Amino acid sequence: MNIGIYIYNDAEVLDFSGPFEVFSTAKRLADNDWQVFFVAEQNKPVLARAGFSVNPHYSFDNHPAIDLLIVVGGVHTYELEKRAVINWIREAADAAAKVASVCTGAFLLAKTDLLDGLTVTTHWEDQADLAAMFPSLNVITNKRWVSQGKFTTSGGISAGIDMCLALVAELISPEHAELTAKQMEYQWHTNT
């Protein structure tokens, strides 16, 4: 399975590094064939929040097929204005078996119209803006993450790690998700 995490300038560091750690740790413990990688618009370093430099594994032009797409949050305003980015997210999400967003990554997914009519969430600070900008969404405030169909959206930062552990539980088993959290010395906050 190929797990592609979309990164961009001013992306929130833990929004992408947290999921990368969860899926990489789950892969190592399961000794499975998962491939976890970063995709950026271009094949050059991305400057995430606070100038954190990241080298993407792939660009829009050369990445392998993506089975699980993760769109992360951060300062997403410029990304919303990029037609090439929104088109790529739409195409990658259409082709993927599962799609997830962390934090304000929900804005980017919503811009593709793929979330229309679905129940979603985002960082608590951005929930009202998401609902106002995309009135076709049912934005909820009382869950760390929410799944509907192949789409899962989460709150910010640590909620994204919790969501990814829930995806590991779904893709492998709840026991493996618990083992992954233990290996990471992370206290998994479930949605209950």
Side-chain angles (χ1 to χ4, degrees):
M1 182 171 71
N2 290 333
I3 302 170
I5 303 170
Y6 175 56
I7 59 172
Y8 51 90
N9 287 335
D10 286 320
E12 186 68 51
V13 174
L14 273 179
D15 281 10
F16 61 82
S17 58
F20 189 90
E21 183 69 19
V22 169
F23 293 118
S24 297
T25 301
K27 167 196 168 59
R28 186 175 76 246
L29 294 174
D31 193 23
N32 64 22
D33 63 352
W34 287 6
Q35 300 302 316
V36 187
F37 50 84
F38 295 129
V39 180
E41 185 177 5
Q42 299 174 350
N43 198 7
K44 64 180 188 179
V46 168
L47 289 180
R49 291 294 286 268
F52 187 91
S53 184
V54 184
N55 292 315
H57 299 94
Y58 300 103
S59 71
F60 287 177
D61 296 328
N62 67 359
H63 65 82
I66 296 172
D67 302 300
L68 168 55
L69 172 66
I70 300 174
V71 181
V72 303
V75 181
H76 60 280
T77 315
Y78 298 117
E79 299 302 299
L80 284 173
E81 299 170 2
K82 295 180 179 177
R83 183 174 304 204
V85 167
I86 300 306
N87 287 342
W88 178 83
I89 292 172
R90 182 183 297 111
E91 291 169 10
D94 274 339
K98 290 195 170 296
V99 181
S101 67
V102 180
C103 193
T104 56
F107 284 79
L108 298 175
L109 271 182
K111 184 76 171 179
T112 68
D113 300 326
L114 295 174
L115 297 181
D116 286 0
L118 299 184
T119 298
V120 300
T121 196
T122 189
H123 189 282
W124 62 266
E125 198 171 39
D126 300 290
Q127 290 167 347
D129 287 343
L130 183 64
M133 189 178 291
F134 301 100
S136 65
L137 306 181
N138 176 29
V139 180
I140 62 170
T141 61
N142 60 346
K143 296 283 187 184
R144 290 179 68 75
W145 71 89
V146 60
S147 292
Q148 195 167 9
K150 74 177 191 176
F151 295 96
T152 304
T153 56
S154 79
I157 305 177
S158 66
I161 295 172
D162 292 335
M163 173 192 71
C164 289
L165 286 164
L167 289 169
V168 169
E170 184 180 334
L171 295 166
I172 298 179
S173 72
E175 295 77 17
H176 196 75
E178 289 170 8
L179 179 63
T180 300
K182 180 178 180 182
Q183 181 66 31
M184 292 171 56
E185 294 202 40
Y186 179 78
Q187 180 64 49
W188 183 15
H189 300 88
T190 63
N191 246 352
T192 56

